[in-house]
Amino acid sequence: MRHARVWTAKQVGRFRQIRESSVTASGPKVAIVHEWLEHYAGSERVVGELLRVFPQADLFAVVDFLPKAEREFLGGRKVTTTFIQKLPFARRHFRNYLGLMPLAVEQFDLAGYDLVFSSHHAVAKGIITGPDQIHISYVHSPMRYAWDMQASYLRQSGLEHGLKGFFIRWLLHRIRNWDVRSAAGVDAFVANSAYIARRIRKVYRREAEVIHPPVDVHRFMPAQKQADRKQYLVAARQVPYKRVDLVVEAFRLMPERELLVVGDGPEHEKIAALAAGAPNITLRGKISDSELLTLMQQARAFVFAAEEDFGITLVEAQACGTPLITYGRGGALDIVREEGDPDGVSGVLFREQTAASIAEAVGRFETIREQVTTENCRGNSLRFSREAFQGHIESLAARLLDENGTGAI
């Protein structure tokens, strides 16, 4: 896989000049196509940073039901949507129109744009562009429920059998065929982690450049006064795949280690029952962002047992100067620097999603704790800053515009 290549300062400078003059006819015209706007979350952070890099870009989405309180990152711009926006019950149930979304995104008229970004995890990359246009697809993940997670999706939705289950299988089969075909219209794939780059290679048989998503590391800073870090911290929504239950089970095996569990969700009662009778485990439930920041700054280490495509929370913990003890699959492999890394140790990985493996990793962490410094963790987090993301995107756009011989260059 190709990681983000930093273009020369001269070329990036040329691109920035072009970008700043994009209101004129001489500059490249840019479009950003997002999946759907419902809440401000991880993929919307990426769109927000793309809009910072390309402030004159036009924005397109399948639907736009984003609340007024979460629209600040759009900068007041109008969002062009598809016919799904006006279909019955779309505001609450637009996902039920998944079968129409490939048709919907193909109706966007992007003929006047030099550079088109798609922010993709379902259908956005299926837009139609011409031979003189550059289409860069930033992939958060190929459509999991249509590919390797189909069996799990059907099982969790109770659709393994019956007529409705048969229809969903047929629909996902059609979507997979369209998904592969539409990949041919992408000029350059960008993955948010090496893990997603491997999934892109598996599904689309295309190489992807890795550009990690932007993290506001300047909001997550180490505490000015370092307290004695005693408690380990796990903070996540308590749903099955996050495996908070395994972390709790692991600390029941280590009564001498303190664990603070933050978050709520469908598995809260199960996790509370596991923690019952263990005086070293404290449950806090849902807390404010400011409280979570303080707890991250004070934690002995941040423990995480889920397999994530990237893992923004892991970077936020590192930005607080906090070591990581996390499952060694998915995006965590891009984030954690293990013992022996020439740039310094920032955490420990465990290789199995079991309580015993987590307990063993905590033990290993304790033996090397003096090596996992606040400075190492904080320095590691800067690789994932908003500024790093913007620089990599600018470099990629400059290179592709230059290679394409776009008149503005």
Side-chain angles (χ1 to χ4, degrees):
M1 88 213 42
R2 297 173 297 166
H3 286 263
R5 180 174 66 176
V6 178
W7 207 236
T8 66
K10 182 178 180 181
Q11 285 170 310
V12 172
R14 288 174 67 201
F15 175 73
R16 284 178 172 165
Q17 288 179 341
I18 293 164
R19 185 191 77 195
E20 290 164 2
S21 66
S22 61
V23 292
T24 70
S26 61
K29 195 173 180 184
V30 181
I32 298 171
V33 182
H34 189 49
E35 221 78 66
W36 47 70
L37 291 165
E38 183 184 24
H39 297 293
Y40 182 72
S43 61
E44 286 72 31
R45 294 188 193 191
V46 171
V47 171
E49 291 307 317
L50 288 174
L51 291 172
R52 289 175 182 269
V53 178
F54 307 101
Q56 304 304 324
D58 293 324
L59 184 60
F60 299 77
V62 173
V63 295
D64 176 14
F65 297 121
L66 195 68
K68 184 177 180 180
E70 300 179 28
R71 302 185 71 86
E72 183 179 356
F73 76 102
L74 298 178
R77 60 175 41 79
K78 179 183 176 182
V79 180
T80 301
T81 58
T82 71
F83 63 83
I84 293 176
Q85 180 83 17
K86 297 182 179 179
L87 291 180
F89 312 110
R91 178 174 290 275
R92 294 189 62 183
H93 302 292
F94 64 86
R95 289 177 179 82
N96 291 345
Y97 292 114
L98 177 64
L100 293 175
M101 288 183 186
L103 173 65
V105 298
E106 290 175 346
Q107 306 313 306
F108 284 135
D109 182 5
L110 302 173
Y113 295 93
D114 303 300
L115 180 63
V116 182
F117 277 88
S118 59
S119 169
H120 176 84
H121 61 76
V123 298
K125 72 166 178 48
I127 53 176
I128 297 174
T129 55
D132 295 323
Q133 296 174 288
I134 296 171
H135 176 191
I136 301 172
S137 186
Y138 189 97
V139 179
H140 309 282
S141 176
M143 203 182 310
R144 285 187 170 278
Y145 43 88
W147 291 100
D148 52 317
M149 296 296 290
Q150 176 184 276
S152 176
Y153 163 74
L154 293 171
R155 184 170 56 254
Q156 292 176 9
S157 303
L159 296 171
E160 291 181 283
H161 308 289
L163 186 60
K164 187 175 181 181
F166 178 80
F167 170 76
I168 295 297
R169 290 174 189 272
W170 173 83
L171 176 63
L172 293 177
H173 170 72
R174 294 289 301 269
I175 286 176
R176 279 192 294 274
N177 290 340
W178 174 86
D179 197 23
V180 172
R181 182 204 60 75
S182 63
V186 176
D187 295 293
F189 276 103
V190 178
N192 66 0
S193 68
Y195 172 61
I196 294 302
R198 292 195 297 275
R199 297 192 74 238
I200 290 170
R201 188 186 306 117
K202 179 72 173 181
V203 173
Y204 305 135
R205 298 300 179 187
R206 296 281 299 277
E207 295 299 314
E209 191 154 325
V210 176
I211 300 180
H212 299 114
V215 181
D216 189 0
V217 297
H218 303 302
R219 188 166 73 88
F220 293 83
M221 300 285 289
Q224 292 184 351
K225 292 183 179 180
Q226 293 293 315
D228 183 17
R229 295 172 178 241
K230 293 182 179 180
Q231 284 187 317
Y232 290 84
L233 172 68
V234 55
R237 179 153 173 76
Q238 292 170 3
V239 292
Y241 93 93
K242 293 290 187 179
R243 302 315 313 263
V244 177
D245 57 324
L246 291 182
V247 180
V248 172
E249 287 180 19
F251 277 81
R252 285 186 64 92
L253 301 174
M254 301 179 289
E256 74 283 7
R257 310 283 183 204
E258 295 182 36
L259 175 68
L260 179 61
V261 182
V262 171
D264 63 4
E267 291 224 313
H268 181 74
E269 289 187 10
K270 173 185 175 181
I271 291 165
L274 286 171
N280 61 317
I281 301 173
T282 304
L283 273 61
R284 282 286 303 273
K286 188 175 181 179
I287 62 175
S288 68
D289 290 345
S290 60
E291 288 178 290
L292 179 58
L293 170 60
T294 299
L295 293 177
M296 280 186 172
Q297 292 171 330
Q298 296 173 347
R300 190 173 185 87
F302 188 83
V303 187
F304 197 75
E307 178 181 336
E308 296 278 18
D309 295 336
F310 177 62
I312 287 177
T313 306
L314 301 180
V315 177
E316 292 172 344
Q318 293 269 271
C320 292
T322 300
L324 297 175
I325 301 173
T326 186
Y327 183 40
R329 292 199 62 181
L333 293 173
D334 288 17
I335 298 170
V336 178
R337 286 173 165 163
E338 292 190 275
E339 188 177 13
D341 192 300
D343 293 313
V345 190
S346 72
V348 170
L349 297 173
F350 52 92
R351 307 298 174 180
E352 297 178 1
Q353 276 184 314
T354 64
S357 187
I358 295 170
E360 186 274 333
V362 172
R364 276 191 289 124
F365 168 73
E366 288 296 333
T367 66
I368 64 166
R369 181 169 175 262
E370 297 304 317
Q371 299 178 45
V372 194
T373 65
T374 298
E375 293 72 24
N376 283 352
C377 296
R378 174 66 187 173
N380 181 44
S381 74
L382 299 180
R383 297 187 291 137
F384 311 101
S385 69
R386 293 164 61 180
E387 293 79 7
F389 174 86
Q390 291 173 8
H392 291 153
I393 288 293
E394 287 178 345
S395 298
L396 176 63
R399 185 178 77 222
L400 293 176
L401 285 169
D402 206 29
E403 292 174 354
N404 197 50
T406 301
I409 296 289

